[in-house]
Amino acid sequence: MTTQTAGAQPPADDRYDEFLAGVRRVFGESITEGAALFSVRGDGLFEVFLQALSPELAAENSCGTCRTFVRRYGGLVTVGPDGKTKSVLWSANTAPPEYARAVAALAAQVENAPITSVFRSSAAQWGDPERGSWTHLAVTPPERLVHTPSALATTSQYVAAKNADRGTLERALAEFPSGVVKKAVALLRTEQLYRSDAILGAGAWLSELHKQLDSVRGKGDTAQRRRDNLLWLAAATAPAGYCHVKSGMIGTLLTDLADDLPFDSVKRRFAEKMHPLQYRRPTAEPTAAMIARAERVIGELRAAGALERRFAKLADVRPLWSRAVDAPRAEGVFGHLVPARKDRAATDLGADPVVITWEKFARTVLPDAERLEFEVPQAATSYGAMVTAANPDAPPIVQWDAPGNRNPVTWYVYVNGSPASQWGLRPGEFRDVTVVVPHPATWHVEVDRTGREQAVLFALAGATDTSYKEGAGFFPEFLRSDLHEIRKTLEAYAKDAVVAGKDEAEVCGLLLSKGGKVGHTFRVTTGGVRVRYTLDRWD
């Protein structure tokens, strides 16, 4: 701190302002986008700082406010991909000569200490920058590093949960060695297991973590410290649920493979647990305490409008393909005349349908398609609808929605299919497709590492779920991980809640998913020629 009183002249060799500016510059450079922060033990750090200063500077900097800052925040570090820690505050390269030795001592002390905890704070200012006429050590964190407590978790509870995740993950790595995990990932990639895409991401993540840990050579304390640091980093940045290996579906598969069960048994058990009516559905009855907590949380979410849902409109979705929109009608004497569409005079090729995979169809046909029509089958099939938050500013409740990257859209489908008539469709007709929309979790694919199942929805013109009465606003499988503990109560709420706007829905139609029912036929108009395509499989 600067120790001069009001009106006094600072010492001639005092370069405290440069020192403070250097600390803040290092902090700004260290907290890159997505960086996780960790704490090492901060006791004794301030003494390390003072002892490395000259006696005069040590006297000037002996301050209770700065001591508190160093104790709380002086031990903050990030972890690099090699497992080495780096202080987020201390670097001798940015310090003036008078402070360089002390800052170097702090950096060495911090970067050689073991991590003790994930770090999060709800404070918008770390430290007290000014008190009276004195200036102190302090930094201002960006908004993304400021934790917002809720009815679900206080800041200390959030930190405790992350620290517990680290222990849970460590036990899973010990129980399921690299070879078993590699075998599970290889099996998932064969696509012989039902809905394997839903957990492939978790398996691949665990396998990559094994590989990263194994890449740290050596058996000494330094190598082990780096492996421990990588484990902390993985626990802090893991996608929702990934640390809970043993209790998830990936754990079921790993256990079966570790027990050398026959493939048929592994496949059957996997399919049973991955059934939509079983996967991530709560089984145990909630306790009185759980119900009370759930009611408090639900009350908060309802007050914020987070549980109110409505049927989606075209403006709510991010399509892969959209139908060309007719030009608006002109005003004047001839305004009542409708301009002719290009595809009205299209020539039908008359050939048998081209059998093609969805991936090839999306890559080679969709980009140039002017019009897309779905041949409605006689039998019931996987029709579904997209829904979204009624209040776009409501707090996120689904995994792929976030305050800085909003996407509250989900969809529902009837497990055993539904008839065309339920959606206002006639078997045998060709119904226009308005948009082709991928799974909402993939709309921001650059930040989605979950490996969710691949699926698309063909929204059909005029289709609505005429039989809809209640439920389907969201499902436990979609919820954010911090809502899982109350998912049974949330599921009961969602089952009775009514999604608004059924008659105004614009994103209802055929749901095509990898591993689901195939054989659907479409009529595509491109360049004035109509060609039929039958999608026989995903890829």
Side-chain angles (χ1 to χ4, degrees):
M1 70 170 186
T2 54
T3 58
Q4 71 270 20
T5 57
Q9 294 296 319
D13 61 344
D14 184 10
R15 300 175 67 178
Y16 180 82
D17 289 343
E18 292 179 49
F19 161 61
L20 181 55
V23 170
R24 291 173 176 169
R25 184 161 65 253
V26 171
F27 181 69
E29 294 171 352
S30 299
I31 53 172
T32 56
E33 190 69 32
L37 299 185
F38 305 89
S39 299
V40 304
R41 192 173 300 280
D43 296 344
L45 282 179
F46 199 64
E47 282 67 29
V48 170
F49 173 65
L50 293 179
Q51 290 169 10
L53 291 173
S54 67
E56 296 78 13
L57 277 182
E60 291 174 12
N61 285 273
S62 183
C63 161
T65 301
C66 292
R67 181 185 295 273
T68 298
F69 173 85
V70 172
R71 177 172 54 82
R72 290 180 177 174
Y73 308 108
L76 295 184
V77 297
T78 56
V79 176
D82 57 359
K84 295 180 180 179
T85 55
K86 183 175 177 59
S87 170
V88 303
L89 295 172
W90 317 120
S91 172
N93 294 332
T94 66
E98 291 82 354
Y99 287 89
R101 181 168 173 265
V103 172
L106 280 173
Q109 182 79 6
V110 168
E111 292 171 1
N112 286 296
I115 291 173
T116 58
S117 174
V118 169
F119 176 83
R120 288 303 295 270
S121 172
S122 59
Q125 179 72 51
W126 297 354
D128 192 346
E130 291 185 3
R131 181 169 292 181
S133 60
W134 292 15
T135 304
H136 303 277
L137 284 168
V139 294
T140 303
E143 185 177 353
R144 61 182 172 79
L145 289 183
V146 178
H147 182 259
T148 303
S150 68
L152 283 167
T154 64
T155 300
S156 61
Q157 288 171 333
Y158 173 88
V159 170
K162 285 293 184 180
N163 291 345
D165 281 351
R166 190 260 184 204
T168 301
L169 182 58
E170 183 177 34
R171 290 188 292 274
L173 289 166
E175 182 170 354
F176 303 117
S178 179
V180 174
V181 178
K182 286 181 180 179
K183 184 177 180 180
V185 172
L187 182 56
L188 290 168
R189 284 180 172 151
T190 66
E191 301 176 8
Q192 296 186 61
L193 300 180
Y194 178 57
R195 299 182 69 199
S196 60
D197 285 341
I199 66 164
L200 176 58
W205 178 85
L206 190 63
S207 181
E208 181 60 29
L209 179 56
H210 262 301
K211 181 180 177 181
Q212 194 174 17
L213 295 174
D214 291 343
S215 70
V216 179
R217 303 300 181 186
K219 297 182 179 180
D221 291 344
T222 300
Q224 185 56 48
R225 178 74 53 76
R226 290 172 59 190
R227 283 189 282 269
D228 289 342
N229 294 341
L230 288 172
L231 194 55
W232 277 109
L233 180 62
T237 60
Y242 277 28
C243 292
H244 296 255
V245 177
K246 189 69 182 290
S247 61
M249 270 305 303
I250 187 64
T252 297
L253 177 60
L254 291 170
T255 299
D256 288 349
L257 294 177
D259 291 342
D260 289 327
L261 292 185
F263 173 72
D264 288 345
S265 297
V266 172
K267 184 176 181 179
R268 174 181 51 78
R269 283 166 49 83
F270 191 88
E272 289 172 353
K273 294 190 175 184
M274 285 300 294
H275 191 278
L277 295 180
Q278 291 291 122
Y279 183 49
R280 290 188 177 175
R281 302 298 285 269
T283 54
E285 290 297 323
T287 64
M290 291 170 62
I291 293 174
R293 176 170 166 77
E295 288 177 347
R296 185 171 68 254
V297 174
I298 289 174
E300 182 176 293
L301 293 174
R302 288 186 67 180
L307 301 184
E308 296 176 8
R309 309 284 285 171
R310 64 169 173 80
F311 281 86
K313 294 182 174 295
L314 294 178
D316 298 316
V317 301
R318 294 184 61 176
L320 289 172
W321 177 90
S322 300
R323 179 179 62 178
V325 179
D326 288 334
R329 296 186 182 185
E331 297 181 359
V333 178
F334 301 104
H336 64 287
L337 299 179
V338 180
R341 290 177 55 122
K342 289 183 182 179
D343 51 28
R344 286 182 179 167
T347 300
D348 201 321
L349 196 60
D352 291 336
V354 177
V355 178
I356 191 172
T357 67
W358 153 253
E359 288 197 349
K360 186 175 181 181
F361 181 80
R363 187 176 65 254
T364 64
V365 179
L366 270 187
D368 298 320
E370 298 161 3
R371 186 180 184 185
L372 181 62
E373 302 165 274
F374 171 60
E375 184 176 8
V376 179
Q378 297 290 331
T381 192
S382 53
Y383 297 112
M386 285 191 166
V387 301
T388 188
N391 177 5
D393 297 323
I397 62 171
V398 296
Q399 296 172 33
W400 46 86
D401 192 11
N405 201 19
R406 296 311 307 267
N407 177 15
V409 178
T410 60
W411 67 28
Y412 72 85
V413 64
Y414 293 90
V415 173
N416 296 316
S418 50
S421 58
Q422 180 176 328
W423 299 85
L425 305 172
R426 297 189 308 276
E429 73 166 317
F430 279 92
R431 181 66 67 96
D432 268 300
V433 175
T434 56
V435 292
V436 180
V437 189
H439 193 297
T442 66
W443 293 358
H444 302 292
V445 69
E446 67 277 6
V447 295
D448 180 62
R449 298 186 295 157
T450 59
R452 292 178 230 276
E453 64 179 316
Q454 301 170 63
V456 292
L457 187 141
F458 295 83
L460 303 176
T464 60
D465 187 356
T466 61
S467 297
Y468 175 80
K469 290 184 175 59
E470 60 190 12
F474 52 82
F475 296 93
E477 183 177 343
F478 300 158
L479 293 174
R480 288 169 40 186
S481 60
D482 54 359
L483 293 172
H484 281 186
E485 64 177 283
I486 62 167
R487 64 189 184 274
K488 189 174 185 68
T489 309
L490 279 174
E491 182 179 30
Y493 173 89
K495 183 178 179 181
D496 296 330
V498 177
V499 178
K502 177 182 76 171
D503 296 334
E504 293 77 41
E506 295 179 347
V507 195
C508 303
L510 174 72
L511 178 66
L512 181 70
S513 61
K514 190 170 186 176
K517 186 176 181 180
V518 292
H520 298 294
T521 297
F522 294 85
R523 191 165 63 185
V524 181
T525 302
T526 305
V529 178
R530 275 200 302 258
V531 180
R532 289 184 299 157
Y533 293 87
T534 296
L535 306 186
D536 68 330
R537 62 190 188 280
W538 185 269
D539 56 13

